[in-house]
């Protein structure tokens, strides 16, 4: 690793001011599971590393009137085991549980997974399905970015130099709603998604009143499959709706061929996984479905 | 020419490692694993891949297993660390170490310290695991030699002995 200066602010305001001061040359570190590897490779060469792990405000995890507030530093390992999340936001467990190994999940944070902006990351599709609002603080004050407008390209987000993600706010879960994430990988553990699909639905009797779908590893960014959502909205849940949603998702995706699979294989996986994710989201909305994290 | 550095060019890290308070002043661009192996001379934890994939570097920080190769040294400040050197008590091997020896849960031994601390931490939370739970718990530890069966058997046997009160 190249040399860098190291700062460990103890509050969000302090973090934002040191970030602003060194904006052009600084990098925030949270879990380090992406950044340290990138620094070792020389892909990232920050001159200042700002360690935010001492900022307790960023560890927030609570349900308020407007929904679930998830602090930037909430780790995958915490999401997996948190009773409230297991009960009410199981899709977060589905996705967090798939990240790396136990050792990685004890370091990896939700904001790090998002800010690294890998097209194949597992929690962004779940956050898209839950319509997460990303709370950002920077030199020019706070702003809120809807998650589906947060990603710009592989490794690129709307964050300006000096900006920090402070938390995600997810709409409060309602009884007639359900959400589910699943990915395909050849290995069960410690593998990167060939395709990942997160789905959220709100039912009104047999009708899908509303739906949101997020996809991983099929586009240069995590993708909100708006066409597939439209194909589901207002339709009775059943074969016809699933066919239309899967077709629309495949059409909107721009998968590439790489070591993990060909573009055609990925299209086939999108078709399969969209059907499965929507079906399981519906099952959860009805009070059943797979238990949190039991996604394969 | 290197530009004038911003931030702290050196850091002083105070942490408790295997029950002993340690203070180290070093440069920040090192990993926790390097600090532990080189400055503290605790060479049990190994560097295999350096990228978080193999688990040979596993250490327990504030009660949670993490990859020492992914953690920056200064991030250990104020933390409690357990390495394989701190697992045995009063000259007596931990049941996990004992069963690994007895049941042949290792060949070359490179991965062993990582497996031991991962398993010790896992059994602290689950003394009655299924084989599947053990396999999931050690998914972040790779072994090139054993084929895992004997490691899994050793951990299950250690759990049994600990349940039967052998403790530590
Ligand atoms: C062996 C291994 C396996 C993995 N497997 C998976 C997997 O299966 N699925 C998956 O999705 N990921 C996987 N990952 C990737 C990684 O664990 C995640 O992306 C992780 O969530 C990143 O979080 P972090 O806290 O470690 O981020 P860091 O590495 O600390 O930071 C990542 C990036 O985000 C920025 N950042 C962090 N926090 C903030 C913030 N609050 N505000 C602004 N910017 C911020 C950093 O500056 C950096 O650019 C794996 C990693 C390893 C090492
Ligand atoms: S050396 Fe850290 S995981 Fe391989
Ligand atoms: S015993 Fe050789 S790597 Fe595991």
């Amino acid at each position: 690793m190249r040399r860098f200066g190291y700062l460990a602010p103890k509050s969000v305001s302090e973090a934002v001011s040191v970030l602003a001061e060194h904006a052009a040359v600084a990098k925030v570190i949270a879990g380090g599971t992406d950044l340290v590897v990138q620094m070792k490779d020389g892909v990232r060469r920050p001159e200042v590393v700002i360690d935010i792990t001492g900022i307790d405000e960023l560890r927030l995890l609570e349900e308020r009137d407007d929904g679930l507030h998830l602090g930037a530093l909430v780790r995958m390992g915490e999401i997996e085991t948190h009773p409230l999340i297991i009960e009410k936001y199981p899709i977060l467990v589905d996705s967090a549980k798939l990240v790396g190994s136990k050792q990685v999940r004890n370091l990896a944070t939700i904001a790090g997974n998002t800010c690294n902006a890998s097209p194949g990351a597992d929690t962004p599709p779940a956050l898209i399905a839950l319509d997460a609002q990303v709370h950002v603080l920077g030199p020019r004050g706070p702003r809120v970015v809807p998650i589906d407008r947060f990603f710009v390209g592989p490794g690129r987000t709307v964050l300006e130099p000096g900006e920090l993600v402070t938390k995600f706010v997810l709409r409060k879960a309602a009884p007639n709603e359900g959400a589910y994430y699943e990915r395909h990988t050849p290995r069960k553990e410690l593998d990167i998604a060939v395709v990942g699909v997160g789905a959220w639905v709100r039912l009104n009797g047999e009708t899908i009143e509303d739906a949101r779908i997020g996809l991983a590893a099929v586009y240069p960014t995590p993708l909100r499959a708006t066409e597939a959502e439209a194909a589901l909205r207002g339709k009775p849940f059943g074969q016809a709706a699933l066919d239309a949603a899967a077709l629309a998702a495949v059409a909107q995706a721009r998968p590439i061929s790489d070591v993990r699979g060909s573009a055609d294989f990925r299209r086939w996986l999108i078709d399969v996984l969209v059907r499965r994710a929507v079906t399981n989201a519906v099952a959860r909305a009805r009070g059943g479905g797979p238990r949190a994290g039991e996604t394969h | 020419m290197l530009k004038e550095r911003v931030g702290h060019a050196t850091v002083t890290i105070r942490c408790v490692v295997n029950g002993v308070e340690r203070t180290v002043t070093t440069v920040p661009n090192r990993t926790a694993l390097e600090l532990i192996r080189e400055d503290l001379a605790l060479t049990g934890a190994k560097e295999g891949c350096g990228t978080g994939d193999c688990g040979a570097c596993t250490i327990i920080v504030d009660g949670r297993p993490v990859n020492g190769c992914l953690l920056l040294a200064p991030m250990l400040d104020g933390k409690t660390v357990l390495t394989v050197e701190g697992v045995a008590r009063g000259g007596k091997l931990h049941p996990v170490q004992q069963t690994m020896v007895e049941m042949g849960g290792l060949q070359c031994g490179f991965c062993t310290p990582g497996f031991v601390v991962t398993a010790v931490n896992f059994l602290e939370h689950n003394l009655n695991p299924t084989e599947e739970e053990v396999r999931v718990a050690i998914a972040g530890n790779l072994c090139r030699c054993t084929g895992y069966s004997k490691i899994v058997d050793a951990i299950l046997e250690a759990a049994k002995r600990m349940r039967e009160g052998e403790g530590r």
Side-chain angles (χ1 to χ4, degrees):
Chain A
M1 263 184 284
R2 289 212 330 185
R3 292 193 65 146
F4 51 75
Y6 173 84
L7 293 166
K10 290 283 176 256
S11 69
V12 170
S13 54
E14 198 191 329
V16 169
S17 79
V18 294
L19 245 180
E21 196 181 330
H22 306 296
V25 293
K27 220 46 189 138
V28 165
I29 192 166
T33 62
D34 285 315
L35 187 63
V36 170
V37 176
Q38 291 161 1
M39 290 195 297
K40 286 182 180 183
D41 285 349
V43 183
R44 301 246 184 229
R45 299 154 174 230
E47 288 180 29
V48 184
V49 169
I50 299 175
D51 172 5
I52 58 172
T53 56
I55 306 177
D56 288 337
E57 299 158 67
L58 299 177
R59 301 198 179 276
L60 177 78
L61 198 176
E62 68 184 30
E63 201 172 32
R64 297 184 182 166
D65 289 343
D66 61 341
L68 180 70
H69 290 236
L70 265 188
L73 286 178
V74 173
R75 290 182 299 260
M76 303 298 167
E78 289 172 80
I79 290 176
E80 261 180 275
T81 53
H82 198 282
L84 170 75
I85 299 186
I86 292 172
E87 190 199 327
K88 290 188 161 179
Y89 304 90
I91 186 177
L92 292 176
V93 181
D94 302 341
S95 60
K97 213 170 178 169
L98 292 170
V99 172
S101 60
K102 182 103 200 146
Q103 289 93 321
V104 169
R105 294 194 294 277
N106 280 334
L107 292 170
T109 65
I110 184 91
N113 198 226
T114 305
C115 295
N116 190 54
S118 160
D122 285 304
T123 62
L127 293 173
I128 289 172
L130 295 181
D131 198 21
Q133 304 298 309
V134 189
H135 288 239
V136 176
L137 193 60
R140 276 178 278 163
R143 61 181 178 131
V144 180
V145 185
I147 185 81
D148 56 334
R149 275 187 255 147
F150 187 73
F151 305 103
V152 181
R156 288 174 41 230
T157 70
V158 298
L159 288 182
E160 305 277 348
E163 282 189 325
L164 186 73
V165 169
T166 55
K167 66 180 174 186
F168 302 84
V169 178
L170 316 182
R171 260 188 258 168
K172 208 168 193 166
N176 57 336
E177 298 172 1
Y180 176 89
Y181 177 77
E182 184 175 331
R183 72 175 190 193
H184 173 79
T185 50
R187 280 179 71 196
K188 213 169 161 185
E189 305 277 332
L190 266 166
D191 208 343
I192 305 291
V194 184
V195 169
V197 178
W200 169 92
V201 296
R202 181 165 66 227
L203 298 182
N204 182 356
E206 282 307 293
T207 304
I208 300 174
E209 201 173 70
D210 200 1
R212 268 191 309 272
I213 294 181
L215 305 179
V218 302
Y219 201 77
T221 62
L223 177 66
R224 180 172 173 196
T226 47
E227 304 293 312
E229 296 171 1
L232 292 169
R233 213 166 279 131
K235 304 287 174 7
F237 171 67
Q239 200 61 49
L242 289 176
D243 287 346
L247 194 70
V250 171
Q252 204 181 339
R254 294 276 173 273
I256 57 164
S257 296
D258 66 8
V259 286
R260 293 178 213 288
S262 67
D264 275 344
F265 179 48
R266 283 199 161 92
R267 278 187 277 270
W268 180 80
L269 281 174
I270 297 167
D271 184 276
V272 172
L273 291 180
V274 164
R275 291 165 193 275
R276 201 182 292 168
V278 173
T279 302
N280 282 322
V282 167
R284 280 184 174 165
R286 289 174 173 158
R291 289 198 308 187
E294 296 204 337
T295 60
H296 50 213
Chain B
M1 275 287 282
L2 280 172
K3 274 204 302 185
E4 188 66 33
R5 292 288 141 201
V6 270
H8 302 293
T10 62
V11 282
T12 297
I13 300 150
R14 286 183 196 83
C15 52
V16 176
V17 183
N18 300 332
V20 182
E21 267 189 55
R22 310 293 298 251
T23 303
V24 183
T25 299
T26 183
V27 289
N29 58 323
R30 300 174 72 215
T31 63
L33 182 64
E34 287 165 342
L35 181 97
I36 285 167
R37 288 179 53 84
E38 295 163 12
D39 296 26
L40 304 183
L42 295 167
T43 53
K46 303 282 184 276
E47 174 135 7
C49 60
T51 53
D53 292 286
C54 77
C57 63
T58 303
I59 53 174
I60 313 296
V61 176
D62 283 353
R64 284 183 288 267
V66 300
N67 306 95
C69 71
L70 296 179
L71 198 65
L72 291 180
M75 296 170 97
L76 285 183
D77 189 43
K79 300 280 195 282
T80 302
V81 182
L82 177 74
T83 71
V84 72
E85 287 88 348
V87 161
R89 285 290 151 84
K92 191 163 172 281
L93 292 183
H94 187 281
V96 169
Q97 292 174 303
Q98 189 62 39
T99 55
M100 287 282 269
V101 173
E102 285 175 25
M103 304 176 70
L106 64 149
Q107 288 184 26
C108 79
F110 191 83
C111 67
T112 311
F115 271 100
V116 168
V117 294
T118 302
V120 166
N121 180 269
F122 168 65
L123 294 179
E124 279 170 9
H125 298 102
N126 185 355
L127 248 198
N128 210 346
T130 63
E131 179 184 333
E132 174 66 14
E133 285 169 341
V134 169
R135 289 187 179 273
V136 170
I138 59 173
N141 294 81
L142 298 187
C143 175
R144 299 193 65 175
C145 307
T146 63
Y148 302 100
S149 295
K150 292 185 173 184
I151 296 175
V152 172
D153 291 347
I155 296 171
L156 286 168
E157 174 64 20
K160 183 163 160 271
R161 291 187 192 177
M162 288 166 77
R163 283 198 303 276
E164 286 165 2
E166 195 167 309
R168 30 191 310 179

